[in-house]
Amino acid sequence: MKKPIFLFIIIALLAGVSFFGLSRRNALPKELEVHFIDIGQGDAILVRTVNGKNMLIDSGSSKESARLLDYLQGEGIRSLDVVIATHPDEDHIGAMATVLQKYPVGTFYMPSKEHSTVSYEQLLATLEQKRITVSEAFAGDTIRLDENVELLVLNPSNRQYTNNNEYSIATKLTYFDNSFLFTGDISAVNEYQMISAFGDTLDSDILKLSHHGSSDSNSPDFVRAVSPIAAVASAGIGNDYGHPHDSVCKMLEDFGIPLYRTDEQGNLIFFSDGTNIHVNSAEPGSYR
């Protein structure tokens, strides 16, 4: 399955395929779209289906609220059918309350993990104000976004982790023959649990690197299990954490996996017709 998709990406890159500047406002996508939104040091992923269903995974930090809302407005988003707050860290849910104030939401998922921050308290207050029911996603659950678009929940698998990151909701989205693995900030502990529990099911075309490309995640065994044709790092320019980490970049280079980076390339959009995947960037990012 993966060889023809990989060749399609290479051909598209050599041809200089770029979708920047195309207006998709108020138009249904012709293909499944997965947007890795450049909101600095944080995560925000928008998924749009050909039937007009929309899903948001995380929102970035509170200081990036305006940038995220501008992006969603530019995409013509009027409602969100599924929202996933992977875990309660500020760089993942800081702007979520603002998003919920702006857009009607169908189903909202977050893990059973409390946090003592202003952003988390604002999120809880907004959920209550808007009367949005919260569902707990747990490993083995299935989230159906649209016909032919389904997410398998891979993490968390228990409620006794040692930190927020390990509670991250990780999911595998499947659209016909194509798949995307979204990891939040899972740690190597979660990765090995997922390998043990799901084995070959982890195999996916596109991997969103765990924890912005941290060396505490993205273990070689996990990346081998996923066996992606491309990886994505969502990170801020010159961030204080050194994300994506040099060791992770070197591993991807050694494995021959192209790396796409929001800190270098801005907003990244992957398009899938269910068989082939192409991307809006003419070339991958650097390994340095």
Side-chain angles (χ1 to χ4, degrees):
M1 177 184 71
K2 291 190 174 182
K3 186 174 181 180
I5 302 173
F6 180 76
L7 291 175
F8 187 93
I9 290 179
I10 295 301
I11 291 169
L13 296 178
L14 292 175
V17 172
S18 176
F19 291 85
F20 284 126
L22 289 182
S23 176
R24 293 179 303 279
R25 189 192 303 269
N26 299 325
L28 288 178
K30 295 181 179 179
E31 300 174 290
L32 178 78
E33 298 179 358
V34 178
H35 302 235
F36 296 91
I37 305 171
D38 176 19
I39 39 76
Q41 183 64 19
D43 272 16
I45 301 167
L46 172 68
V47 177
R48 303 182 66 205
T49 76
V50 297
N51 293 319
K53 300 294 185 181
N54 303 308
M55 176 175 68
L56 182 69
I57 303 176
D58 288 336
S59 67
S61 66
S62 55
K63 67 181 180 180
E64 300 297 344
S65 297
R67 193 185 337 186
L68 177 60
L69 289 181
D70 285 347
Y71 190 90
L72 296 177
Q73 182 179 3
E75 289 299 316
I77 302 302
R78 295 177 180 174
S79 63
L80 294 166
D81 299 279
V82 174
V83 175
I84 298 175
T86 61
H87 64 295
D89 281 359
E90 213 278 338
D91 61 328
H92 288 254
I93 56 95
M96 192 65 79
T98 304
V99 171
L100 299 184
Q101 291 286 354
K102 175 77 173 178
Y103 294 102
V105 170
T107 308
F108 187 93
Y109 294 91
M110 67 179 183
S112 179
K113 177 65 173 76
E114 296 181 352
H115 199 33
S116 58
T117 61
V118 172
S119 294
Y120 182 70
E121 294 299 328
Q122 288 176 339
L123 172 56
L124 292 184
T126 303
L127 288 166
E128 182 177 2
Q129 176 196 353
K130 294 292 184 178
R131 297 182 179 179
I132 298 171
T133 301
V134 177
S135 298
E136 180 185 3
F138 210 68
D141 292 347
T142 298
I143 299 171
R144 189 173 181 83
L145 177 60
D146 201 350
E147 59 176 340
N148 306 314
V149 182
E150 192 170 87
L151 291 93
L152 173 64
V153 180
L154 305 169
N155 193 76
S157 59
N158 67 66
R159 299 180 180 88
Q160 297 178 335
Y161 293 109
T162 58
N163 60 57
N164 284 349
N165 289 343
E166 292 175 353
Y167 282 88
S168 290
I169 298 174
T171 57
K172 175 180 176 177
L173 181 152
T174 301
Y175 179 57
F176 293 106
D177 292 335
N178 291 159
S179 52
F180 297 77
L181 204 155
F182 307 119
T183 54
D185 279 359
I186 61 171
S187 72
V189 169
N190 305 115
E191 291 175 350
Y192 282 102
Q193 289 175 340
M194 289 160 59
I195 292 170
S196 176
F198 293 99
D200 292 342
T201 302
L202 295 179
D203 184 272
S204 303
D205 298 312
I206 308 298
L207 168 64
K208 199 287 292 187
L209 291 177
S210 310
H211 200 184
H212 320 286
S214 167
S215 58
D216 294 332
S217 312
N218 308 292
S219 62
D221 288 341
F222 182 69
V223 175
R224 288 191 191 97
V226 178
S227 185
I229 57 172
V232 178
S234 182
I237 298 173
N239 65 84
D240 295 336
Y241 309 98
H243 294 157
H245 195 272
D246 289 345
S247 63
V248 175
C249 294
K250 180 63 165 57
M251 173 187 62
L252 294 172
E253 184 177 24
D254 291 344
F255 287 176
I257 300 171
L259 172 61
Y260 292 84
R261 309 171 47 152
T262 60
D263 62 333
E264 292 185 351
Q265 298 159 289
N267 301 314
L268 291 163
I269 310 173
F270 289 79
F271 302 83
S272 166
D273 62 6
T275 302
N276 298 301
I277 295 174
H278 54 109
V279 61
N280 68 337
S281 179
E283 295 181 358
S286 73
Y287 292 114
R288 300 291 181 264

